[in-house]
Amino acid sequence: MNYKNRIENFKRILKEKKIDFFLLEDSISILYLTGFKISFGKIIISQDKDILFTDNRYFEGLKDISPIEVNLFSKENVFEFFKKNSKEKNILAIDKTKFTIDNFENLKKFINELKQDIQIDITSNINPIYELRAVKDTEEINLMKKAASITWDGFKHICSILKENITEKEVALEFEIFIRQKGAEKLSFDPIVAFAENSAIPHHRVSDRKLKLNENVLLDLGVVYENYCSDFTRVIFFGDPNFQIENMYNLTKKAQEKAISLCRPGISIKEIDLAAREVFKEHGMEKLFIHNLGHGVGLDIHEFPSMSSVGADRDFILKKGMVITIEPGLYIPNLGGVRYEDIIYITDDEPENFYSSI
Ligand code: GLY
Ligand code: MN
């Protein structure tokens, strides 16, 4: 990965927004900009100088391989950094979605003690790093495709071991063992394995519920491969399908196809979400679609943008290179639910479904 490039791209946005310093402390931003997986770090990016502050657990291991300067985190060292690099007036931006009130109070106190003209900017709508992360390069796409392919193989494996009386927990464990043997680092979230009525809960927690003949099985699965996440949902029928669930399944698939067909650069998220909902509406089932249409995916399982016509990202316009999930679903309490989820890569041409090319 070209971390220096990522940092330069981030700086370009800061320049446009007239931000002097951007402070990032969340582990995924640190991973994105440096490739380091650390549990404590603070990165400050500015036009002139970038620095990563971390603690003694990581300092020695990182200082010679880092794409930016690394220093030990201490009040004195951070003071010194700002004293050397501040101008007369400065704007320091933070990611307001990642700051606790406690951290924010500490930062304000720190800046007061620093006695420099530094104004904290918490007004920016979204952290520009989310928009950068949303657009993937070829190297990232290849890793995501590999994550998708392991997930697909894991799904096939699970389908082959389903039998009467197997429990949801046993199926989830089988998936985890399989994907780790195939080279995945870990699960990207706890697998959702839901039999029959349990599938009416979109994020059901696996239980000791045993599978019976003629029940539907909802499988929502994902893995992490070299830091990149996959996400995938299917409903399968163990035996003969229930008529109502089968109907919901066909309609969900239709809504998903409609949404995917619109996934091109230039379309707004709102338009895609509404188009999927319209398919359900034509059959009077729109109230049974009770969650977002999808989400960005990459280093995080859920990342910018959120695919919803009412959420904060609704007016965001899709760009070439983005990778999103499209996952409509229908749920009837005590009966069951369906969801159909694929990962879609936005290109200038037809959208590419990571699972249909496997
Ligand atoms: N596959 C889990 C989720 O998207 O929330
Ligand atoms: Mn998902």
Side-chain angles (χ1 to χ4, degrees), residues 9 12 15 35 72 75 87 119 140 172 176 255 267 282 341:
N9 289 339
R12 205 168 313 127
K15 198 167 187 176
L72 271 173
K75 198 169 167 184
K87 300 179 205 92
Q119 195 190 325
E140 293 178 291
E176 181 165 5
I267 191 161
E282 281 161 16
E341 176 179 31

Side-chain angles (χ1 to χ4, degrees), residues 189 203 220 230-233 293-297 301-302 325-327 339 341-342:
F189 56 92
H203 275 197
D220 187 345
S230 65
D231 203 356
F232 173 80
T233 310
L293 179 65
H295 50 89
V297 57
I301 181 66
H302 296 134
T325 72
I326 298 286
E327 49 179 306
R339 181 161 65 256
E341 176 179 31
D342 286 299

Side-chain angles (χ1 to χ4, degrees), residues 168-169 190-194 198 201-208:
E168 293 169 344
K169 279 186 186 167
D190 289 342
I192 299 168
V193 178
N198 285 348
I201 300 158
H203 275 197
H204 168 68
R205 254 187 99 76
V206 288
S207 72
D208 292 317

Side-chain angles (χ1 to χ4, degrees), residues 150 153-155 157 173-183:
I150 296 174
D153 291 344
F155 165 68
H157 172 66
L173 180 62
E174 272 287 335
F175 177 75
E176 181 165 5
I177 293 169
F178 182 92
I179 58 105
R180 300 214 28 192
Q181 281 168 342
K182 295 290 171 195

Side-chain angles (χ1 to χ4, degrees), residues 52 86 91 141 167 170 185 191 221 283 289 307 328:
L52 166 65
S86 305
I91 305 277
I141 294 298
T167 67
E170 284 166 343
E185 194 181 318
L221 310 164
H283 295 78
F289 180 20
M307 299 291 296

